[in-house]
Amino acid sequence: MNISFYVLSESKAQDFLGFICQLTQTALNKSTQSVLILIDDEKLLSTLDEALWAVDAVSFIPHQRLLDVETVGSDNKGTDTDISNHPIDSKSLAPVLLGSYMPADFKGIVLNTTQHPVNTFMAATNNAHPTRVLELIKPDPSSVQEGRQKYKSYQQLGYELTYFKL
């Protein structure tokens, strides 16, 4: 798996949502795979959800919140079921998914905005094998430290790493 680290400058970090939208559009343009944006901050999730619908005046990035698809429900016997670990029909999903977890059988590009390495999310689901990971690192000291930890973690696992300072 290829993992790219994008270390953002102050100016890029100030327009964090704009950078996520730009990177997402670039990933969609260069690949036929789905993009999963991992977000563990509900406020950022809601704001990004709105921003993707209004990337510019004449376009948008089609997307879907995973919460809209995979929720806890009940089966026909009234038993609670958690379908977050069950395969989902990718044909019914938008090309960009937003969520705080990785769906079962996911095999696309992951844009990680969380403090956790992607392999943490992979371990929590069934048969997820992202093809590429895009790690975003803000220029503040805590984000840089988290980025260093992720880099070391991925390096120990033998992943192919690239680094871009923007």
Side-chain angles (χ1 to χ4, degrees):
M1 179 167 46
N2 179 288
I3 301 176
S4 297
F5 283 80
Y6 293 87
V7 181
L8 306 181
S9 65
E10 284 292 335
S11 62
K12 293 280 187 196
Q14 287 176 1
D15 186 21
F16 191 58
L17 288 174
F19 184 76
I20 293 172
C21 290
Q22 178 186 8
L23 191 57
T24 301
Q25 187 64 64
T26 300
L28 287 175
N29 290 346
K30 292 185 174 186
S31 175
T32 58
Q33 297 178 325
S34 295
V35 175
L36 168 64
I37 303 175
L38 284 173
I39 303 172
D40 57 7
D41 175 347
E42 182 60 37
K43 184 178 177 185
L44 177 61
L45 181 67
S46 295
T47 308
L48 181 59
D49 186 16
E50 292 175 22
L52 290 169
W53 286 123
V55 172
D56 63 42
V58 295
S59 73
F60 63 92
I61 296 175
H63 65 281
Q64 184 172 7
R65 291 174 73 152
L66 283 175
L67 298 175
D68 298 339
V69 176
E70 301 187 43
T71 58
V72 174
S74 61
D75 61 16
N76 59 5
K77 297 175 188 167
T79 308
D80 284 343
T81 58
D82 180 0
I83 64 172
S84 64
N85 239 353
H86 293 238
I88 52 178
D89 180 9
S90 61
K91 292 179 180 152
S92 65
L93 296 178
V96 176
L97 306 173
L98 308 177
S100 60
Y101 63 93
M102 188 175 296
D105 298 321
F106 183 78
K107 295 190 177 31
I109 299 167
V110 176
L111 196 159
N112 189 13
T113 69
T114 75
Q115 64 182 347
H116 307 289
V118 167
N119 51 316
T120 303
F121 297 95
M122 291 166 61
T125 191
N126 291 328
N127 203 29
H129 299 287
T131 57
R132 183 154 188 222
V133 175
L134 311 174
E135 288 282 356
L136 301 184
I137 311 299
K138 293 180 182 178
D140 63 272
S142 65
S143 293
V144 170
Q145 184 59 32
E146 291 165 3
R148 288 179 182 137
Q149 294 300 330
K150 287 186 208 180
Y151 193 94
K152 289 176 187 175
S153 172
Y154 293 138
Q155 191 174 45
Q156 290 172 349
L157 293 169
Y159 294 134
E160 181 182 336
L161 306 174
T162 54
Y163 176 90
F164 303 98
K165 191 164 184 169
L166 307 173

